[in-house]
Amino acid sequence: MNRKPYYLLLLLSLLLLNPWDALAQQYRFKRNSKQSNVLERGWVILVGGGVAAVRSDICGSWGCNDLGPNASVGGLYKFSPYVGISGTIDYVKLGAVEKDPNAPLNLAFESEVIEVSGSLVINLLDSYAGSGNYRSKRKRFAVPYFRIGVGGLYYTATSFPANGNLDDTQSTYDPEQDYPAFAAVVPVGGGIRFYINDEFSIAPEIAYRVTSTDFLDNIGPITSGGGRRDEYAVVAVKLQYTPVLKNKLFSKKP
């Protein structure tokens, strides 16, 4: 299997700690411009992408991971500047090689996962600037948030010898169960939402998924000699779009 450099995961993680210069400049401009008249309530459209890494019986560290892509789409309904509920559909590709090259199993695997989940989203700061009993109409530039949810997985896993790549010529091991298969998942994570304007925000996010299955690597507890459930993490950047409805009836004519 061709390993992808796992420093990409660290690079995307740093997005959570370092605001971008372009966004900071936009924020400074907004501070001196008109205040926002769009309430922090209602629907938000979510689109994102990133990378994923797995933790399973044959791979429990970043070094043996073959980082895979993640793509997501969904929606968020904000009840208030603090609380919302989101629903997302994620595509994740997972892969890894056995951490010990001298181990008798000599395994690698790839797994394609479709995740459907709903989450409670809690902002750790008010979306509006201000403090104490004062709240301005200006939106806060950076708002950290936490989310926890529940959902389901629809996945197919394939295992094969660790010294090869998964292609049409590669021999594969027998499936440990019937695929596609289903499992439950609990996503837990958080991120920082950066305000661009009333319509657009961008949010780098890290979320860890705890699953109910031990077969994301097509290696069950009997074969591996273990019994832990498989888990995976996703580091992603999400674009948030808030539709702004304009009232043309009462708008001023030129």
Side-chain angles (χ1 to χ4, degrees):
M1 175 182 292
N2 294 324
R3 298 190 187 181
K4 300 183 181 69
Y6 63 89
Y7 63 80
L8 290 175
L9 188 64
L10 177 61
L11 179 62
L12 285 176
S13 300
L14 292 176
L15 293 175
L16 294 175
L17 304 175
N18 295 285
W20 303 312
D21 290 340
L23 290 179
Q25 293 173 6
Q26 180 76 17
Y27 172 61
R28 288 192 289 269
F29 170 78
K30 285 292 180 181
R31 292 188 64 178
N32 299 320
S33 63
K34 64 181 181 179
Q35 296 173 332
S36 172
N37 293 316
V38 178
L39 296 176
E40 279 289 305
R41 290 182 176 86
W43 286 104
V44 178
I45 298 171
L46 307 174
V47 179
V51 296
V54 69
R55 186 176 184 182
S56 69
D57 293 315
I58 68 169
C59 177
S61 64
W62 301 124
C64 54
N65 257 274
D66 187 7
L67 298 182
N70 160 255
S72 66
V73 63
L76 166 68
Y77 187 84
K78 294 185 288 187
F79 294 100
S80 75
Y82 282 102
V83 179
I85 293 179
S86 70
T88 57
I89 300 174
D90 284 73
Y91 168 80
V92 180
K93 187 174 183 179
L94 305 172
V97 296
E98 197 166 25
K99 57 187 175 183
D100 182 0
N102 298 317
L105 294 179
N106 186 35
L107 287 173
F109 82 93
E110 286 187 8
S111 183
E112 293 192 88
V113 180
I114 296 176
E115 173 192 318
V116 180
S117 64
S119 298
L120 176 67
V121 181
I122 300 175
N123 290 336
L124 303 181
L125 292 175
D126 194 327
S127 296
Y128 294 96
S131 61
N133 295 324
Y134 167 75
R135 172 190 281 178
S136 73
K137 288 186 178 180
R138 179 170 53 83
K139 300 291 181 63
R140 196 183 297 273
F141 172 59
V143 177
Y145 63 90
F146 169 80
R147 75 180 184 95
I148 183 170
V150 65
L153 304 179
Y154 178 81
Y155 67 97
T156 299
T158 304
S159 57
F160 52 95
N163 55 358
N165 298 317
L166 184 58
D167 53 35
D168 293 338
T169 62
Q170 175 64 278
S171 60
T172 60
Y173 296 121
D174 293 335
E176 292 272 327
Q177 63 174 4
D178 292 333
Y179 297 110
F182 295 90
V185 63
V186 176
V188 180
I192 303 177
R193 187 191 70 191
F194 294 103
Y195 174 81
I196 300 175
N197 55 40
D198 284 342
E199 294 180 275
F200 291 100
S201 297
I202 195 164
E205 176 183 289
I206 297 177
Y208 198 75
R209 272 75 164 181
V210 180
T211 79
S212 65
T213 181
D214 192 26
F215 293 97
L216 285 181
D217 53 6
N218 192 42
I219 306 299
I222 297 177
T223 303
S224 65
R228 64 173 300 158
R229 304 296 182 182
D230 296 332
E231 303 164 353
Y232 60 98
V234 174
V235 177
V237 177
K238 294 188 176 181
L239 178 67
Q240 302 185 359
Y241 170 67
T242 302
V244 178
L245 300 178
K246 298 179 179 180
N247 192 333
K248 297 182 180 180
L249 181 61
F250 295 100
S251 62
K252 295 181 179 180
K253 296 182 179 180

